[in-house]
Amino acid sequence: MSMRTAVVTGASAGIGEASARALAAAGFHVVLGARRLDRLRALAEELSGTAHELDVTDADSVASFVNHIPECHLLVNNAGGARGLERVEEADEENWHWMWQANVLGTLRVTKALLPKLIASGEGHVITVTSIAGHEVYDGGAGYTSAKHAQAALHQTLRSEHLGDPLRMTEIVPGMVETDFSLNRFDGDAERAAKVYRGLQPLTAADVAEVIAFAATRPAHVNLDRIVLQPRDQYNGSRILRR
């Protein structure tokens, strides 16, 4: 049996990078997509994978990326992120536009483009990394939570629309994960980003990647519809602060 191909978006850091490592260790040939091609190439060389530049907010970039992929068994929709933490009355529309482009339309573009190859593989699998923010809300997070709710709805609709096809659909729903997520959200403000995780032990990117690899390696007839994982001190978006 030939090696199966896994495509990972947002693979240059964080959950994407960790997922690429976990899937390569599980026997997949990994095809990595992200904007930071220098970091991507180094990771691909280390994992004997393939790297291609990808900006999921750009339809032409997605089309070019997919044209380099002859076959696909597994797609990990991981690209996305948050910008800003403003209340609704102070919302920055540029931040909202980027979050919807990256999290929702980016997932749509890549999934739509690869669906024929996933189905043709005979055992396709789409894993979408959403967030607990896709099922809960919090003050200042309307732009991100609304985008993640929409991304989750997109993924769940696909699950229904493709019943009967050789295609599995798994939504991964992480709580707080310590990556560069908050650093990016706060435009490089390291002190503000560090405060997000103060008082508890957050998940790591490797924690999430291990769950992704587990879902991806179940037998083809087993569909893990949704997996929620959070730190012990977090539940449905709420957290316990240690005194």
Side-chain angles (χ1 to χ4, degrees), residues 84-237:
L85 194 65
E86 301 86 18
R87 291 167 60 97
V88 170
E89 67 263 29
E90 299 168 346
D92 183 325
E93 288 193 20
E94 289 188 10
N95 284 344
W96 278 58
H97 183 268
W98 182 86
M99 286 186 279
W100 277 74
Q101 281 285 345
N103 295 285
V104 186
L105 292 173
T107 296
L108 170 64
R109 291 185 184 106
V110 177
T111 305
K112 179 181 177 181
L114 284 174
L115 270 173
K117 295 176 183 181
L118 285 159
I119 294 172
S121 75
E123 52 178 45
H125 194 174
V126 177
I127 296 179
T128 301
V129 181
T130 62
S131 169
I132 196 64
H135 300 272
E136 304 293 333
V137 299
Y138 55 87
D139 293 354
Y144 182 63
T145 59
S146 62
K148 283 297 183 181
H149 273 71
Q151 184 189 35
L154 165 63
H155 177 91
Q156 292 160 25
T157 302
L158 280 166
R159 172 78 170 103
S160 177
E161 289 179 346
H162 286 278
L163 282 175
D165 288 334
L167 183 67
R168 293 187 288 163
M169 304 287 300
T170 301
E171 181 187 358
I172 303 292
V173 187
M176 298 178 72
V177 185
E178 189 169 10
T179 63
D180 58 3
F181 173 88
S182 290
L183 191 65
N184 291 333
R185 175 174 223 167
F186 300 131
D187 198 25
D189 187 334
E191 183 178 354
R192 189 178 182 190
K195 288 180 180 178
V196 172
Y197 310 108
R198 190 169 297 165
L200 82 166
Q201 182 178 350
L203 301 175
T204 66
D207 293 331
V208 182
E210 183 178 357
V211 173
I212 288 171
F214 176 81
T217 53
R218 296 311 88 202
H221 71 286
V222 177
N223 197 97
L224 300 178
D225 290 80
R226 180 186 300 160
I227 304 174
V228 180
L229 61 157
Q230 299 182 90
R232 182 183 59 199
D233 290 336
Q234 183 186 23
Y235 177 66
N236 286 357

